[in-house]
Amino acid sequence: MEVQSFDDLNLSTGIQAAIEELGFTSLTPVQAACIPIFLSKKKDVVVEAVTGSGKTLAFLIPIFEILQRCAPFKKHDVAALIISPTRELALQTAEVTNLFLKHIPEFSSILLIGGDRVSYDLTKISENGCNIIIATPGRLADILSQNTEIKLSACIKALEVLILDEADRLLDLGFEKTLNTILGYLPKQRQTGLFSATQTKEMEDLIRAGMRNPVCISVKEKCVDANAVQRTPSTLSNFYMVCEADKKFSVLLSFLLSKESEKCMVFFSTCASVNYFASILKELIKNVPVIGMHGKIKKKRNQIFYDFKNYEKGILCCTDVMARGVDIPDVHWVIQFDPPSCASSFVHRCGRTARIGKTGNALLMLLPNEESFVNFLSVNQKIAVEEIKTPAVFDITPKIRKMAVKSREVFEKGLRAFVSFIRFYTKHECSLLFRIKDLDIGKLATGYALLKLPKMPELKGKKISNFSPTDVNYDEIPYVDKVREKQRQVRLKEFLENPQKRSAISEKRAAKLKAKKLEAKRLLAKKRRRKKAIKFSQEELQDLARDARLVKKFKKGKMSKEEFDAEFAADLSDIESS
């Protein structure tokens, strides 16, 4: 029978109560396809579905149903493990899990995401139990390796269900080695679910290595063309506009001011860009809260996430750390100020709005040399993006320059943001579409409201027009923070009295940068060598496994030396004949 509603699943009373409290009345396509297979066939599942399609419930409902069937568990038995790529996604999953636990109190859950000492997490495990663990890979691997009174590596042998949420992102962020370490602690007899919005080569390798005859479920949105599919929700309206580099931030400001009563997310390419533009927007937009979020923010990150979730209106400036999986209620507009690093990142960014049937809007801001990216999205991702004309706006850059002249914080943040964007651009995955030589560096620097151009290798020897440096003494620009300015004045005096000291510091920085580049080259070369390493065929792997079984039998006394030698001799004769 085809499953059409939650009632058709015959779920327990506690699960039904939690679903009602969450406000869901009908199954989404991914839930209807995934939950019955996970529950009835006891199969591993690989689920690919558009972002915002309800994947979290698609694995939480089976987890609680399976745990209730297999109960009871001891306080420290880990029955279910959910691994998420980012803290924000883990926090969000924990929030929904805790709502289920209100109605199913016989289980305990714990969130392991870092930010506190490992000893603090171990104390929480000891006191509260850990039937369900929601974790980021790094912190989980750290705790599994701890040899304390409560050994998580022993507790996890009771595992029934493993979920890798946003599995492709886990691999993108370089967690492959950490995941392999974690998988080494887990029992083989378990159900595994991989949930993602996109499939990658690395994911296919993970599926082959860690899953038993998985059922692959792919749920995609239909395009207008009946034979095509798209990766963004059908309730999402996608727009783009083309802006000159020197006017781009002025256009963004004007657009955000026109949406003051709404909740907006603005994506930038780097942490430095978030720091700079968020600080500028805070000064220029007074009626709504403006906050910044990126991966280098550690302590306040969780609080920032919760604050923005609870805002009725506001602006979140962020990097791609907020592009995956996180569910922030009622985001009206997603604005991509900088181009995404790849086509799939475009999809994930847009997915922060128009979630689970709601409507939403996304705006991509492109420079004139980047307009071909629109056609690329149409072909590569089957996404239609409608152009809206760039409005005539008031040029805000002279005002920002005046702010930079009065504040060294603004002056330095602008330089760092510009440098980081240029370096992001030089390493862009779509290097045929986003080429550094096509950028108008002068207009870009003007758009960043820089007082002068920074010294950097990427600009060496370039003839730069459309930029006029400001005629000010840059050493005289003060920090607004009086303590910081006092420290700067002391250093400045030392440098004036002893010019060699400044030269020595510059040389030290140059040497440090050179060492960093050499290390990056060494790691890249190592990665390439690993890729070129000889790979065993499936037949060779089977032979190795068979030999290992023979050795085990011989050591346990289950076969004589003569039998052992005869088996190996047979293997050798097979090799010689081939």
Side-chain angles (χ1 to χ4, degrees):
M1 184 182 72
E2 188 179 342
V3 174
Q4 296 179 337
S5 70
F6 288 111
D7 292 337
D8 295 336
L9 295 169
N10 297 318
L11 301 171
S12 69
T13 307
I15 294 175
Q16 286 176 338
I19 292 166
E20 285 173 17
E21 189 172 338
L22 283 165
F24 291 102
T25 55
S26 59
L27 288 161
T28 65
V30 68
Q31 291 162 3
C34 171
I35 296 172
I37 292 171
F38 220 146
L39 288 176
S40 63
K41 298 186 179 180
K42 294 187 178 179
K43 289 272 190 180
D44 290 348
V45 295
V46 178
V47 181
E48 179 189 4
V50 294
T51 186
S53 57
K55 292 193 287 290
T56 304
L57 275 193
F59 62 73
L60 278 180
I61 289 172
I63 281 175
F64 279 100
E65 194 68 35
I66 290 166
L67 264 56
Q68 285 177 306
R69 291 177 188 176
C70 299
F73 293 97
K74 294 177 184 175
K75 181 181 177 181
H76 295 110
D77 283 347
V78 180
L81 173 59
I82 303 165
I83 302 178
S84 299
T86 64
R87 293 183 188 185
E88 289 70 35
L89 184 52
L91 279 163
Q92 182 178 286
T93 304
E95 207 173 292
V96 183
T97 302
N98 290 337
L99 194 147
F100 273 85
L101 290 171
K102 276 171 58 181
H103 302 279
I104 312 167
E106 59 264 35
F107 302 116
S108 60
S109 77
I110 192 162
L111 178 66
L112 305 174
I113 57 171
D116 293 307
R117 294 188 302 275
V118 170
S119 58
Y120 176 71
D121 284 335
L122 287 166
T123 303
K124 282 197 300 181
I125 291 170
S126 178
E127 292 174 357
N128 304 327
C130 52
N131 297 143
I132 302 168
I133 291 179
I134 300 121
T136 48
R139 176 47 61 103
L140 180 60
D142 284 346
I143 294 177
L144 282 168
S145 65
Q146 298 292 315
N147 190 12
T148 56
E149 187 179 341
I150 296 292
K151 284 188 70 174
L152 194 63
S153 56
C155 301
I156 213 158
K157 298 302 178 187
L159 190 73
E160 293 287 340
V161 184
L162 167 67
I163 300 294
L164 299 180
D165 194 9
E166 298 291 350
D168 58 328
R169 182 65 170 158
L170 282 166
L171 298 169
D172 284 346
L173 291 174
F175 286 126
E176 191 172 356
K177 188 176 178 181
T178 310
L179 282 175
N180 287 332
T181 301
I182 292 166
L183 289 172
Y185 285 101
L186 307 184
K188 303 295 182 204
Q189 295 300 315
R190 63 171 192 265
Q191 276 187 264
T192 303
L194 266 64
F195 289 77
S196 177
T198 52
Q199 291 280 359
T200 63
K201 166 76 169 59
E202 290 77 13
M203 266 189 68
E204 288 171 11
D205 293 342
L206 185 62
I207 291 164
R208 283 195 291 269
M211 304 185 81
R212 298 167 298 140
N213 300 319
V215 175
C216 294
I217 299 165
S218 183
V219 180
K220 297 176 182 177
E221 296 277 345
K222 285 284 182 184
C223 290
V224 176
D225 177 0
N227 296 318
V229 292
Q230 68 180 44
R231 296 181 183 274
T232 56
S234 56
T235 52
L236 173 68
S237 300
N238 266 310
F239 304 98
Y240 80 96
M241 65 167 65
V242 179
C243 313
E244 290 291 343
D246 55 343
K247 299 290 191 298
K248 194 175 180 183
F249 182 72
S250 299
V251 173
L252 173 68
L253 176 65
S254 174
F255 187 85
L256 290 172
L257 287 169
S258 71
K259 309 294 178 188
E260 278 189 327
S261 61
E262 299 177 350
K263 192 184 281 190
C264 302
M265 293 178 71
V266 188
F267 281 94
F268 295 92
S269 57
T270 68
C271 301
S273 293
V274 168
N275 288 337
Y276 177 54
F277 288 113
S279 66
I280 297 297
L281 288 170
K282 282 177 188 176
E283 294 295 321
L284 300 176
I285 301 177
K286 299 295 184 182
N287 298 331
V288 295
V290 178
I291 52 179
M293 165 82 89
H294 56 71
K296 290 182 181 177
I297 295 172
K298 299 297 180 188
K299 290 184 179 178
K300 295 181 181 178
R301 196 160 131 191
N302 298 350
Q303 191 57 51
I304 292 168
F305 177 62
Y306 278 123
D307 286 347
F308 189 68
K309 280 187 79 171
N310 294 326
Y311 287 160
E312 288 185 10
K313 58 181 182 178
I315 299 164
L316 177 66
C317 299
C318 56
T319 58
D320 283 341
V321 74
M322 293 296 290
R324 298 291 294 263
V326 292
D327 188 11
I328 298 171
D330 303 318
V331 173
H332 301 95
W333 280 91
V334 167
I335 302 154
Q336 303 191 46
F337 184 79
D338 290 336
S341 57
C342 59
S344 63
S345 291
F346 174 89
V347 173
H348 296 303
R349 287 175 171 187
C350 292
R352 297 319 96 213
T353 185
R355 296 182 69 79
I356 315 194
K358 293 182 180 179
T359 58
N361 306 281
L363 173 65
L364 174 64
M365 300 181 73
L366 296 172
L367 299 175
N369 62 289
E370 298 168 346
E371 196 170 356
S372 56
F373 186 58
V374 174
N375 291 331
F376 179 77
L377 286 173
S378 176
V379 173
N380 185 271
Q381 295 289 311
K382 306 290 187 272
I383 296 171
V385 190
E386 181 185 340
E387 184 177 11
I388 53 177
K389 293 298 178 185
T390 309
V393 295
F394 174 74
D395 185 7
I396 199 67
T397 50
K399 186 173 182 177
I400 302 171
R401 275 187 156 190
K402 285 180 183 177
M403 290 164 60
V405 169
K406 293 177 182 177
S407 167
R408 195 167 197 86
E409 287 94 340
V410 174
F411 168 61
E412 290 181 346
K413 280 180 181 178
L415 286 172
R416 282 195 288 268
F418 178 82
V419 169
S420 68
F421 177 78
I422 294 291
R423 288 179 177 160
F424 156 78
Y425 218 84
T426 57
K427 297 171 185 174
H428 202 287
E429 282 189 26
C430 302
S431 55
L432 293 174
L433 302 178
F434 299 94
R435 300 186 298 180
I436 193 74
K437 69 177 185 178
D438 294 334
L439 276 180
D440 188 323
I441 300 293
K443 280 190 175 182
L444 188 70
T446 302
Y448 273 68
L450 300 189
L451 302 184
K452 66 168 186 173
L453 286 170
K455 291 179 181 178
M456 55 188 302
E458 290 84 355
L459 305 187
K460 199 172 181 180
K462 282 186 177 288
K463 188 178 179 181
I464 295 169
S465 56
N466 299 318
F467 178 77
S468 302
T470 308
D471 187 19
V472 296
N473 186 335
Y474 304 112
D475 282 342
E476 291 179 1
I477 298 172
Y479 286 118
V480 174
D481 184 330
K482 290 181 180 179
V483 175
R484 199 175 175 192
E485 177 57 20
K486 189 176 179 180
Q487 292 170 344
R488 189 183 77 87
Q489 290 295 341
V490 170
R491 285 198 308 273
L492 199 60
K493 189 178 178 182
E494 287 176 359
F495 291 151
L496 289 170
E497 291 172 356
N498 186 5
Q500 288 82 8
K501 188 171 182 178
R502 176 175 274 189
S503 177
I505 289 172
S506 298
E507 286 174 12
K508 192 176 178 181
R509 283 178 181 167
K512 195 175 178 181
L513 184 64
K514 188 177 179 181
K516 197 175 177 181
K517 284 182 177 177
L518 286 170
E519 178 63 12
K521 281 184 179 178
R522 187 187 69 78
L523 290 171
L524 185 63
K526 188 178 177 182
K527 191 176 179 181
R528 283 173 179 164
R529 283 198 300 272
R530 266 205 317 267
K531 281 187 176 179
K532 287 180 181 178
I534 298 168
K535 293 182 179 178
F536 289 111
S537 68
Q538 192 63 35
E539 190 177 342
E540 288 170 325
L541 287 170
Q542 286 171 355
D543 288 341
L544 284 168
R546 183 172 175 276
D547 291 345
R549 286 196 296 273
L550 287 172
V551 171
K552 272 186 183 178
K553 279 186 179 181
F554 178 61
K555 282 186 176 180
K556 289 179 180 179
K558 292 183 178 179
M559 64 190 308
S560 66
K561 190 175 185 305
E562 291 76 16
E563 289 172 325
F564 178 75
D565 291 340
E567 288 281 359
F568 263 92
D571 282 351
L572 288 170
S573 63
D574 287 343
I575 293 166
E576 286 166 4
S577 62
S578 61

